[in-house]
């Protein structure tokens, strides 16, 4: 089958389309409820109160027991919980008498790690946010269920297609570890620099295409009394994903980031990395960052941005929904790529969902994910959350917001130069914490770019030398 370009599969999200098969890794052994093992559906589709037609073989392909109550624990983030409850309600309609509980939490790792150790984890988890569970450690301990049965199961609401065939090609590659699909990423996230389109039109400003133009515009902005930049304060890694990764890619492509993920010796000290950190640091040197930013949390900083205290802020495409209750009328937030040579943007499926291998109801956990990643659920996500799931046809017939529209547009412009998130954050918790902490020190002028890179390299070397840490690699 001909492989779709990234441009084409973004377009595929906007139209009704046939599925495209992913080349996902097959499991070595079937997991509970493996698709194909289910008997013929005992329920007549006509008896189900569903807003769409469902094929008989799509009612219970994962063998969910009758009258089950599954436990779901979900990170409380910018996407909110409305879409999760929507999927839980859909689950209950497909399986009358059964349900999935919805518990939003912060600090997923701290709260749930003891339950993994105790052998009683929840049935399905949204493992996102700061302080997430260490996926690398869980994988090495055999704590993650292979999701292959889910991917091979019939789609809930796309007849004749498997779940796998309804997802954007390549969108789930980041959830494959050691040849097993252990993570389902449910949101197609575009990370970049956000600003008010309305403000730019009022001021007659043009979004910069080079970093020199960015610095010149920042000088102009500063002269008006506004701060050119802010970031999410206590969570400085937003600047890493929203800005620094784009700077690295525009200098040297994906290789420097792959080398960092693969713990290649000296990867953090490579010229493209060091030069990119120096470029980012010019915002500090020129006093372009809003005073007091470092003391704010993410929503506080974003609220100041919405009040017009700063013009630019880094974020992912969840921003629009996260701040919808505080966004002024006609603000029209949009996302732009990091200024620099050519076009490139960080965009990938994210918001990682997992099913623990030792869950009490793994079949129900998998089935909840099948409901969550359905086309019907994806349309709700686009309309109500102003974000996109990696589901073909997932925004069909939906009027999309200014932010989501700009995200789709920038991905189309960047074409093949759409790159994924770096992996070290999920693979190596200590390195992730060190890089975030040192980014905070960099952005407040406490350390130099060289010191930042040296500190990250020192931690990378420590992780690489630790025989207790399971190592992972990627090639693209």
């Amino acid at each position: 089958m001909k492989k779709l370009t990234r441009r084409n599969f973004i377009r595929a999200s906007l139209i009704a389309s046939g599925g495209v098969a992913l080349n996902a890794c097959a499991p070595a052994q079937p997991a509970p409820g493996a698709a194909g093992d289910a008997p013929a559906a005992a329920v007549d589709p006509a008896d189900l109160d569903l807003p769409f037609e469902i094929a008989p073989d799509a009612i219970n392909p994962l063998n969910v027991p009758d009258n089950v109550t599954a436990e779901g624990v979900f990170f409380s983030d910018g996407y909110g919980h409305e879409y999760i409850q929507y999927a839980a309600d859909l689950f209950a309609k497909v399986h009358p008498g059964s349900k999935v509980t919805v518990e939003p939490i912060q600090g997923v790792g701290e709260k749930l790690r003891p339950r993994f150790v105790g052998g009683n984890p929840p049935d399905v988890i949204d493992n996102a946010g700061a302080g997430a569970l260490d996926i690398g450690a869980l994988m090495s301990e055999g704590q993650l269920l292979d999701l292959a049965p889910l991917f091979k199961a019939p789609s809930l609401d796309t007849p004749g297609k498997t779940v796998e065939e309804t997802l954007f090609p390549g969108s789930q590659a980041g959830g494959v570890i050691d040849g097993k699909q252990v993570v389902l990423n449910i949101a197609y996230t575009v990370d970049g620099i956000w600003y008010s389109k309305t403000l730019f039109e009022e001021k007659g400003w043009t979004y910069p295409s080079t970093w020199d133009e960015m610095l010149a515009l920042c000088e102009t902005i500063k002269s008006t009394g506004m701060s050119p930049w802010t970031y999410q304060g206590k969570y400085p890694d937003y600047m890493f994903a929203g800005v620094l990764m784009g700077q690295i890619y525009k200098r040297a492509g994906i290789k420097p980031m792959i080398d960092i993920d693969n713990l290649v010796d000296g990867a953090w000290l490579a010229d493209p990395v060091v030069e990119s950190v120096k470029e980012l640091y010019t915002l500090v040197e020129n006093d372009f960052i809003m005073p007091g930013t470092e003391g704010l949390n993410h929503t506080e900083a974003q609220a100041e941005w919405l009040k017009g205290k700063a013009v630019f802020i880094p974020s992912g495409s969840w921003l629009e929904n996260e701040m919808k209750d505080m966004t002024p009328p006609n603000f029209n937030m949009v996302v732009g790529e990091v200024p620099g040579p050519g076009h490139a943007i960080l965009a990938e499926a994210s918001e990682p969902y997992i099913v623990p291998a030792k869950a009490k109801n793994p079949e129900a956990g998998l089935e909840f994910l099948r409901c969550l990643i359905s086309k019907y659920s994806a349309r709700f996500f686009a309309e109500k959350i102003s974000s996109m799931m990696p589901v073909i046809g997932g925004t069909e017939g939906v009027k999309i917001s200014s932010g989501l529209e700009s995200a789709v547009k920038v991905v189309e412009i960047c074409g093949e130069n759409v790159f994924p998130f770096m992996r070290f954050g999920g693979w190596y918790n200590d390195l992730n914490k060190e890089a975030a902490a040192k980014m905070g020190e960099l952005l407040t002028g406490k350390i130099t770019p060289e010191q930042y890179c040296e500190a990250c390299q020192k931690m990378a070397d420590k992780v690489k030398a630790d025989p207790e840490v399971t190592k992972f690699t990627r090639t693209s």
Side-chain angles (χ1 to χ4, degrees):
M1 177 176 289
K2 183 179 179 181
K3 182 179 179 181
L4 291 183
T5 64
R6 286 185 180 274
R7 178 178 302 207
N8 287 338
F9 80 71
I10 288 295
R11 286 176 175 166
S13 75
L14 302 175
I15 60 175
S17 167
V20 180
L22 300 178
N23 294 318
C25 297
Q29 296 179 353
D37 295 340
V43 178
D44 187 335
D47 293 336
L48 298 177
D49 181 21
L50 294 173
F52 52 82
E53 293 186 8
I54 186 170
D57 68 347
I59 294 177
N60 193 16
L62 295 166
N63 296 329
V64 178
D66 291 336
N67 302 314
V68 66
T69 297
E71 180 187 6
V73 178
F74 309 96
F75 175 65
S76 181
D77 65 3
Y79 293 124
H81 315 116
E82 190 178 5
Y83 81 96
I84 300 173
Q85 187 60 57
Y86 187 84
D89 293 343
L90 189 56
F91 175 98
K93 290 181 178 180
V94 178
H95 303 279
S98 295
K99 66 178 181 179
V100 176
T101 62
V102 175
E103 179 187 358
I105 66 169
Q106 293 282 341
V108 177
E110 180 183 358
K111 298 248 176 69
L112 296 185
R113 182 62 183 170
R115 295 189 57 181
F116 277 87
V117 174
N120 65 330
D123 299 308
V124 60
I125 299 168
D126 175 4
N127 186 42
L133 289 158
D134 187 333
I135 289 293
L138 291 178
M139 186 65 184
S140 66
E141 296 166 4
Q143 295 272 21
L144 300 178
L145 190 68
D146 192 331
L147 303 184
L150 165 67
F151 278 57
K152 293 180 177 180
S155 166
L156 185 70
D157 55 1
T158 304
K161 302 295 181 183
T162 65
V163 169
E164 181 178 46
E165 291 169 333
T166 65
L167 303 178
F168 290 175
S171 64
Q172 301 304 317
V176 176
I177 301 178
D178 289 347
K180 292 185 178 181
Q181 186 80 51
V182 294
V183 172
L184 174 69
N185 290 301
I186 64 93
Y188 193 76
T189 300
V190 178
D191 250 83
I193 301 171
W194 292 76
Y195 61 99
S196 166
K197 181 180 178 181
T198 301
L199 176 65
F200 268 58
E201 290 173 347
E202 290 175 350
K203 299 291 187 180
W205 295 338
T206 300
Y207 187 78
S209 59
T210 68
W211 196 254
D212 285 342
E213 289 179 4
M214 169 60 79
L215 297 180
L217 178 56
C218 286
E219 287 287 1
T220 298
I221 293 169
K222 191 175 179 181
S223 70
T224 69
M226 299 175 67
S227 292
W229 277 81
T230 189
Y231 62 92
Q232 286 74 1
K234 297 176 182 178
Y235 305 100
D237 44 340
Y238 277 73
M239 286 289 261
F240 191 103
V243 184
L244 184 59
M245 287 179 60
Q247 292 172 315
I248 295 172
Y249 186 93
K250 287 198 170 186
R251 275 185 168 78
I254 195 71
K255 187 178 185 303
M257 291 186 281
I258 292 177
D259 287 347
I260 287 175
D261 288 342
N262 291 348
L263 302 177
V264 171
D265 292 341
W268 285 93
L269 305 177
D271 286 346
V273 178
V274 176
E275 292 304 311
S276 294
V277 176
K278 287 181 178 179
E279 186 172 78
L280 178 63
Y281 192 67
T282 58
L283 299 180
V284 180
E285 291 178 313
N286 289 283
D287 200 25
F288 288 154
I289 296 176
M290 184 180 75
T293 288
E294 68 274 14
L296 305 176
N297 64 27
H298 62 299
T299 54
E300 290 169 342
Q302 290 161 188
E304 293 299 294
W305 171 68
L306 288 170
K307 293 175 184 176
K309 300 293 183 62
V311 172
F312 297 114
I313 192 168
S315 190
S317 46
W318 59 81
L319 177 65
E320 197 170 18
N321 183 70
E322 185 170 54
M323 303 306 292
K324 64 182 179 182
D325 292 337
M326 299 183 68
T327 303
N330 201 35
F331 186 85
N332 289 327
M333 67 175 73
V334 293
V335 63
E337 60 182 293
V338 175
H343 295 286
I345 193 73
L346 168 57
E348 187 181 34
S350 62
E351 199 72 11
Y353 277 68
I354 59 175
V355 176
K358 296 180 182 178
K360 181 180 179 181
N361 302 293
E363 299 90 352
L366 292 172
E367 177 66 359
F368 172 80
L369 295 183
R370 193 172 71 104
C371 295
L372 179 63
I373 206 69
S374 66
K375 185 187 293 187
Y376 205 79
S377 174
R379 290 174 183 167
F380 180 90
F381 195 69
E383 181 176 4
K384 300 295 185 181
I385 314 302
S386 299
S387 295
M388 182 164 51
M389 286 186 173
V391 176
I392 294 170
T395 59
E396 175 194 353
V398 176
K399 182 179 180 180
I400 60 177
S401 62
S402 64
L404 181 53
E405 182 179 13
S406 71
V408 172
K409 181 178 180 180
V410 73
V411 170
E412 288 187 335
I413 290 172
C414 292
E416 293 300 316
N417 290 312
V418 174
F419 59 92
F421 287 93
M422 295 175 72
R423 307 295 184 217
F424 75 87
W427 290 350
Y428 309 116
N429 196 40
D430 288 346
L431 180 55
N432 184 47
K433 289 180 178 180
E434 181 72 354
K438 294 304 179 185
M439 177 59 70
E441 294 181 22
L442 178 78
L443 294 174
T444 51
K446 295 177 181 177
I447 60 174
T448 66
E450 291 83 1
Q451 289 171 325
Y452 170 82
C453 294
E454 288 166 3
C456 291
Q457 186 60 57
K458 183 178 180 180
M459 180 56 72
D461 293 341
K462 182 178 179 181
V463 170
K464 184 175 182 177
D466 188 346
E468 298 297 318
V469 176
T470 302
K471 310 303 189 299
F472 305 97
T473 59
R474 71 176 178 118
T475 59
S476 63

